[in-house]
Every structure is written in C-alpha cells, then in structure tokens.
Amino acid sequence: MSAPSSPRHQTLLAVAVETPQHAGLGGTLDYLSEQSLSPGTLVRVPLGKRELPGIVWERADGPTTDAQALKPIRQALTALPPLPAAWRQLLGFAAAYYQRNLGELALAVLPPELRKLDATQLDRRLKRLPKTVAGLASTAATAPRAALTKDQSTAVDEIGRVGAGTCLLHGVTGSGKTEVYMEAAARVLDQGRQVLVLVPEINLTPQLEASFAARFTGRRIASQHSGMTPAQRLSHWLAAHLGEADLVLGTRLAVFAPMPRLGLIVVDEEHDPSFKQQEGARYSARDLAVYRGKLEGVTVVLGSATPSLESWHRAQRGQYTLLPMPERIGQGVLPSLKVVDMTNQPRANVGSGDALSQPLVHALRERLARGEQSLLLLNRRGYAPVLQCTACGWKSACPHCSAWRVFHKADRTLRCHHCGLAERVPRACPDCGNLDIHATGRGTERLEEQLTELLPGARIARIDADSTRLKGSLEAQLAAVHDGDVDVLVGTQMIAKGHDFRRMTLVAAVSPDNALYSSDFRAPERLFALLMQAAGRAGRDAAMGARSEMWVQTWNPRHPLFAALARHDYAAFAASQLKDREAAGLPPFAHLALLRAEAKDAAVAQRFLHAAAEAAAALPQSASVMIYPPVPPAVSRVADVERVQMLLESASRTALQHLLAALQPQLHQLRSSHRGLARWAIDVDPLAI
DNA sequence: AGCACGCCGACT
DNA sequence: GTCGGCGTGCTC
C-alpha cells in the first residue's frame, strides 16, 4: 500500500512559464518542490496536460494559492547554473515595460533547443560543451594594427573612464568606430571580463566577427543570431552563460544572453530600426542594452554616424557621454553633394518612367569612361509598383491586401509584397480585355533595364531582396562588385549598409522624395541616415575621394535635409528635426504606445478599440495620457486581415506605463465581448505610427 | 497557445 | 453505429 503524497516538507516556488497573455494567467505560477531551488533555476513543470519548461522566480509575498491544489514540479535542471539575478531583473523589466507575460518573454529569449531538454539531455549537452567551447577560440591570424587616431584614443579613454554609463560614439562612416569598439573591448577583456556586441542584422555579423577574430586571436567568440542552427545557438549561449565565452556577438536577441562576467556592451549602428523587434514582444534591444548596462554597472557604447534622435537628444542633455569622431581615417574625404532639381528637368525626361535626369546620366558616363564604379539607390524592388489598364483604369490590386501588386518583369509575375501572393501577369486587362496595360512608376528591375539602354556596354548589376534570395548570392554579388566586374550597381537600401566599395566614386539616390513628406514621422531621419550611409560607400579611397560625388534627384531641392546633407552636418539635421518633433509632440519629447487590433472584419477591430479607448479614458491613470481615436494604418488589410490601431501618447513615460499596465486586464476582458477579434497587441515605443 | 470536452453531420 | 467538425473553457 503506497501512501499518497506523504506529508514531506514541500517548498513553494514561483515559476515563470510560457503562458500567452490572453490565457488570463499573469506573472508566475506556483508549484511545489521537495528541494528549495534558487531563483533562476530551469525546471520542467506540468501545466494542464502538458509539461513545459519554466524558470524559478522570486516569489512575491502574495496570497498563497490553495496549497492543496498546487502541483509539484517535474524536474529541476540543476546542472545548469541558475540564470543570474541581473538577467531576471532585465527580463522582469522588459516584460513589464513592453506589456508582455513574464514567462512568455523569459522562455522566448532562451535558445529554443534548451527549452526542449530534460535533465538527462542537458547533462549530455554540458558534457560535450568543453569541446565546442574550445572551437570558439579565434584562430585567425592576428591582423596588423594601425595606431589609433587622436579621436579614437580619446574615445577609448572616455569609454574606460565613464564606468556605469552610456556613451554615444558619433563617428562618420570611415572614422574607425570598429577600432574603438575593439580597443575598448581589449581593455575589458584584459580585466577578465566579457564583452557583448550587438549588430542590427545577421548580414553584418560575419564582417564584424572577422574583425574581432583577427583582433582577438585566442579569445573565445560566441554568436547569437537566428541564422545559426539550433544546436549552435544552444552551445554558444551556454558558453556565454557559463562565462566560457569572452565575446558575445549577435543581433537583437543577444541582448538577453546571460553573461556572468559582463564588462562592456557595444551597440553598433544604434539608430538602426532592426533593433526593434517587430512581432511578439516588441522590445528595443538598444534600449534594453542601455537598461542592462545600468543594471549591471557596465559601460554601454552606442555607435553611429547618424544616431537616433532619441540617443542624440540624450547626449545633448548630458545623459549620455558624447564621443565625436568627425574625421575619416586615411585622408578619406566625404563625397560632395549634387542636387538635381527635377522641376527644372525636361518633361519628356521625367514623365514616362525614365528614372534618370540628363546630368546624372552624364555623370554616370563619365565614371564609366574613367573605369570607376557607380551606385544607384532606389528603394523599391520589382519592375513597376503597379500595373494599370489604359482603357478602363483597372489597377493591379491585391485581392487579399489593401495594396497594389508589384510587377516583376523577370519572372512575369504580379507579386504582393505584403502577403506574398504571386500570379502570372495577365496578358490583357482582367476587367475589360484591353491589351494595353501600362507599368506605372519604377523599381530596381526597371532602373536596371533603363541603364542597359542608356549605357551600352556597361556591366550593370542589381542587388535587392529578389536578386539575393538564394543563400550566398549576396556575398557572390558583392564580391563581383569588389573585383571590379561591375560598373554600375543598382539596389535597394540593403546595399547601403556596411560594404566598402573602393572604386566607387558616385552614389545616387534616384527618387528619395517620398520619405520627405511621408506620414511616417521617422522617415526623414531614416532618409538622412540612409543617404549619409550611402555617401560613406564612396570616397574611402583617398585618391578617388576627391572626385567622389553623392547625387540626389529631388523635386524639393530646397529641403533643409539636403542642405544638411551637403555639409555632412548631422548635428544641424538633428537640431532641425528635434525642433519639429518638439513642436509636434513626438518622441523624444513624448512617449508613444500603439494598441493594435486585427480582425477579418474591420468594424470588429474598430469596436474593440473604441471600447478600449473608453475603458482607458475611465481609468484614473489616464490623466496625463492622450488617447487618440482608432485609425487604420497605411496598409490596413494584409492577407484578408483588417488592422486598426490606436495611439496613446504622454509626455511622461511613467504615466503611459501606468495606464498600459492598468488597461491590460481590461483588454483581456474586452476581448471576450468582441467576437471575431483575431488578436490585439500593445506596441510600446513604436517605430512608426 | 495547446489541449481537452462536447455536441451535431457523412461515412465504414 | 463511429469519425471528426471546431465552439467553449481551463491550465498553478
């Protein structure tokens, strides 16, 4: 006869478990355990009929749930050192700030492979770890090191001096920011501490990895990005967590890598929108990096040639230490700006889809004759953004989205860039049978085609999301450009990032105007960053730098953005933008949150948000928060799902936070009274509104 | 979110 | 007679 649940002493544990927020289960769940486990311990717990991974958390002295009903944990994975207090604090803060369930976020940022393991499997992985860790040590030949410039060594000294604070390293392209990161990292590594480096995109990791590997021969470098295999992700993460890795390099999710000896955090290209997660928990890895720095008492270095206005503003107010590096290394000169006033160009030239003005074509021919390279930027892939029937006015609308389908000439398809629907392009108008369908506007494919006509014999290449779909093709195409096999390169913004083209003496923005008057309040900031970055592609070679040019074709030649760009004057641009933002009550002078709702029927989403607005307005916490009426976003329907969003705005971040926290439970309730609502989500500090 | 239970239509 | 549609409800 077996005694059911002997009165053995059972301790009460709070466990963070992956329960979606709409499950109505907040914070942590309570479980029983035979042994007392320290917070941060990975456990496996029963939830309903399932067994899920969880993390032991600090237990708030809340009401003790009916102890009889509590279930015991299934397993404690004590072979893994507990996730440190600083990590738990970071996750606790992030979950609260971005309005997500703690367990959902905490488990989501662990390597997916780790969540699946039981104690036995974990033991096995940990036994094998020393071997993988040994493989992390850089075996690259140590690169010869150039002496630091005065700006660089000043910056490095400042970073060392700042202690627990944030530095904004404002260095123009080519000023050698990477050298500063590495030198600052070297000092920290020499103290036996770890360094975390965040980059915006996977594409940029191999490059930086190579630089760090060459600078730190023998050091163990771990990576964290979504391009790794699950097994790699896990072993590199374990190396970070166990303090076996010296450097951790990765994309935004790396901000959550536990590092027991953390001594420095670097965020490269801190202005890059990729640091903001755009689905699920919409966190900003850059902002969390700053918070983590404070939490762990380590220096955070934010680097950019064109800082985000948020960071710049903080630097101006003395909250961040500004480290300016205005000079390019090796006599590199920034290219001079040529603004083509499109209002002065012959109509025939600009009317019918010709993207290029005569002066620009002339400049391209000059480069061609001299054997130099040119780069043309056009932020729209495909051949033409829309097809139109000349007889009845039919347009190539997507049946599932409120957007036009883009004409891709290469494979004769109409493609929706929102839902992915691709169909063969119709030979005649589907509505009236007219054979004359007109391609309106231009994308990179069409620009490439036009260049082929305008520059006979020139070797023209195109790099965009379509031309680089296959793995490794981006690298191959970039290599072709480097090897001089390309005269004119056409591409979207993806080529403006991080690649140096030594023989490039002309960079042109073909059609940047839409960003100037976009409804997206960050569009000018992004355009300026893109153009500065693109300009930085040219003129790195001192000999060629002198005749390097940045061209801009615009209908608004007097726009102050171009004046600032001509002087490469980020500070002036930022000042004027900040003035606009202040006048308009936008970040960094106000704090924003979006409440988004999705439904098959737009009216359902509308009603839900209206109810949410009423509920919010009735809360005492809404006192200093502006609640705007729900509106559809620019593209309101995607894949037959209608979207509506509501803006909340406040001068006080805390006030906004309090309102969101108070509103959340009400939103869960409202959901049940709004049948047909697909989902809702809160986006704190949204990039676009 | 999963994963149950639960109550109505076309098949071996 | 059962297999299975997804509506409703619960998970410490």
Side-chain angles (χ1 to χ4, degrees):
Chain A
M1 184 175 139
S2 64
S5 67
S6 59
R8 222 178 333 201
H9 179 68
Q10 301 262 34
T11 51
L12 193 56
L13 290 182
V15 179
V17 191
E18 192 173 7
T19 49
Q21 73 246 71
H22 29 267
L25 302 171
T28 54
L29 302 182
D30 289 333
Y31 287 91
L32 298 172
S33 167
E34 288 170 25
Q35 42 177 325
S36 155
L37 297 170
S38 56
T41 306
L42 197 61
V43 292
R44 296 195 68 83
V45 295
L47 183 68
K49 299 278 161 184
R50 295 178 293 163
E51 182 181 301
L52 294 175
I55 301 161
V56 177
W57 222 264
E58 285 67 16
R59 199 173 178 288
D61 294 328
T64 315
T65 323
D66 177 15
Q68 299 305 308
L70 295 183
K71 295 181 182 177
I73 63 162
R74 293 269 165 83
Q75 276 194 332
L77 290 79
T78 44
L80 189 75
L83 290 150
W87 185 90
R88 298 195 303 276
Q89 269 176 281
L90 177 67
L91 266 298
F93 169 79
Y97 186 79
Y98 294 105
Q99 306 293 323
R100 302 299 293 203
N101 175 278
L102 172 67
E104 183 202 6
L105 184 62
L107 273 300
V109 304
L110 293 181
E113 198 75 355
L114 183 63
R115 296 189 298 229
K116 295 188 215 146
L117 301 183
D118 64 23
T120 334
Q121 293 164 319
L122 179 66
D123 283 347
R124 220 176 296 147
R125 291 304 300 250
L126 288 170
K127 281 215 185 69
R128 285 212 309 266
L129 193 66
K131 219 173 138 188
T132 29
V133 164
L136 297 180
S138 164
T139 53
T142 310
R145 256 194 293 158
L148 293 185
T149 65
K150 193 158 176 299
D151 284 345
Q152 285 176 322
S153 51
T154 308
V156 172
D157 289 342
E158 272 298 300
I159 292 168
R161 202 189 51 77
V162 160
T166 303
C167 299
L168 180 59
L169 182 62
H170 178 221
V172 298
T173 352
S175 61
K177 289 190 290 291
T178 307
E179 296 299 322
V180 174
Y181 302 152
M182 292 196 294
E183 197 51 43
R187 297 190 181 186
V188 171
L189 291 169
D190 287 345
Q191 297 162 16
R193 305 179 73 182
Q194 294 172 292
V195 177
L196 173 63
V197 183
L198 303 182
V199 291
E201 282 176 40
I202 302 181
N203 293 344
L204 303 178
T205 45
Q207 231 178 347
L208 205 69
E209 230 165 44
S211 302
F212 274 83
R215 174 69 174 80
F216 298 109
T217 310
R219 293 283 189 192
R220 288 155 305 184
I221 306 177
S223 308
Q224 286 294 294
H225 57 76
S226 55
M228 300 164 72
T229 67
Q232 282 174 331
R233 273 266 293 273
L234 175 58
S235 52
H236 286 224
W237 182 90
L238 286 171
H241 177 43
L242 300 176
E244 300 284 351
D246 302 307
L247 284 142
V248 177
L249 225 144
T251 51
R252 56 175 178 263
L253 58 93
V255 77
F256 297 110
M259 296 169 68
R261 297 182 284 115
L262 185 66
L264 174 72
I265 305 177
V266 173
V267 183
D268 191 25
E269 307 293 355
E270 67 87 24
H271 65 282
D272 198 295
S274 306
F275 283 120
K276 182 90 200 278
Q277 170 96 28
Q278 286 300 352
E279 56 207 15
R282 300 169 93 104
Y283 62 87
S284 160
R286 181 243 289 149
D287 294 350
L288 287 180
V290 170
Y291 183 85
R292 183 172 180 180
K294 241 179 250 167
L295 210 56
E296 304 206 32
V298 306
T299 313
V300 179
V301 179
L302 307 178
S304 177
T306 50
S308 65
L309 290 174
E310 282 84 351
S311 298
W312 183 254
H313 183 60
R314 288 188 186 177
Q316 296 298 307
R317 300 206 311 183
Q319 290 167 275
Y320 294 170
T321 306
L322 184 63
L323 308 173
M325 294 209 298
E327 306 291 333
R328 286 190 122 180
I329 286 172
Q331 290 86 52
V333 184
L334 284 166
S336 58
L337 183 72
K338 303 277 177 196
V339 177
V340 181
D341 181 352
M342 295 302 272
T343 60
N344 281 341
Q345 296 302 307
R347 264 338 268 171
N349 202 315
V350 293
S352 61
D354 275 6
L356 304 172
S357 61
Q358 279 307 323
L360 178 53
V361 173
H362 182 74
L364 287 170
R365 291 197 173 120
E366 256 178 35
R367 298 307 188 288
L368 207 51
R370 291 204 297 254
E372 297 167 5
Q373 294 175 307
S374 304
L375 168 62
L376 295 185
L377 277 174
L378 178 59
N379 228 354
R380 200 184 277 143
R381 61 195 173 85
Y383 187 84
V386 60
L387 284 190
Q388 193 166 10
C389 171
T390 52
C392 75
W394 169 88
K395 283 172 126 185
S396 55
C398 174
H400 307 296
C401 308
S402 49
W404 306 121
R405 277 180 295 168
V406 176
F407 174 38
H408 289 252
K409 198 175 182 180
D411 56 4
R412 308 289 312 167
T413 57
L414 283 182
R415 293 223 289 263
C416 177
H417 288 182
H418 298 276
C419 72
L421 175 73
E423 281 176 344
R424 231 185 138 63
V425 85
R427 303 185 65 230
C429 171
D431 279 6
C432 73
N434 173 28
L435 287 173
D436 188 14
I437 309 181
H438 186 71
T440 308
R442 54 190 163 260
T444 45
E445 276 187 23
R446 190 174 202 173
L447 182 57
E448 183 186 19
E449 183 184 277
Q450 284 170 359
L451 283 165
T452 318
E453 287 164 22
L454 286 166
L455 310 170
R459 295 163 302 170
I460 295 157
R462 173 171 60 89
I463 296 185
D464 56 29
D466 299 314
S467 77
T468 56
R469 196 136 290 167
L470 295 172
K471 196 171 151 62
S473 66
L474 174 63
E475 291 72 17
Q477 291 185 65
L478 289 172
V481 180
H482 280 283
D483 294 346
D485 297 337
V486 171
D487 299 313
V488 182
L489 176 60
V490 176
T492 52
Q493 59 185 350
M494 67 185 289
I495 44 174
K497 279 185 190 171
H499 313 287
D500 299 340
F501 302 114
R502 300 260 151 205
R503 297 176 52 239
M504 196 77 74
T505 62
L506 184 151
V507 175
V510 171
S511 167
D513 278 1
N514 33 13
L516 293 180
Y517 300 99
S518 165
S519 60
D520 178 357
F521 71 91
R522 280 184 227 268
E525 178 184 349
R526 279 208 311 272
L527 176 63
F528 191 84
L530 174 69
L531 295 180
M532 283 287 277
Q533 209 155 33
R537 300 304 113 221
R540 284 226 175 170
D541 189 288
M544 292 187 170
R547 56 172 182 277
S548 286
E549 291 168 351
M550 167 99 214
W551 284 63
V552 170
Q553 299 190 132
T554 177
W555 296 80
N556 307 280
R558 288 177 199 291
H559 197 284
L561 187 149
F562 298 126
L565 185 66
R567 299 193 311 270
H568 306 111
D569 190 350
Y570 169 81
F573 170 74
S576 85
Q577 278 290 304
L578 284 171
K579 230 173 98 192
D580 292 354
R581 295 275 185 93
E582 187 164 24
L586 288 168
F589 301 96
H591 302 279
L592 308 178
L594 278 182
L595 179 55
R596 305 172 191 273
E598 294 182 1
K600 289 270 178 211
D601 178 2
V604 172
Q606 278 280 357
R607 279 199 293 272
F608 172 77
L609 288 186
H610 274 121
E614 265 176 48
L619 289 167
Q621 291 89 342
S622 69
S624 51
V625 180
M626 183 76 178
I627 302 161
Y628 289 85
V631 288
V635 179
S636 59
R637 187 168 46 107
V638 171
D640 288 322
V641 175
E642 298 281 355
R643 307 182 299 179
V644 187
Q645 59 186 33
M646 182 171 86
L647 179 64
L648 305 170
E649 179 249 315
S650 176
S652 155
R653 193 191 289 274
T654 331
L656 184 59
Q657 279 292 313
H658 288 334
L659 176 61
L660 292 174
L663 184 57
Q664 237 203 3
Q666 310 224 23
L667 293 173
H668 292 303
Q669 282 192 331
L670 279 176
R671 187 200 170 84
S672 51
S673 56
H674 290 260
R675 301 265 109 205
L677 186 76
R679 54 184 182 171
W680 62 268
I682 295 174
D683 186 352
V684 182
D685 301 334
L687 284 185
I689 54 176

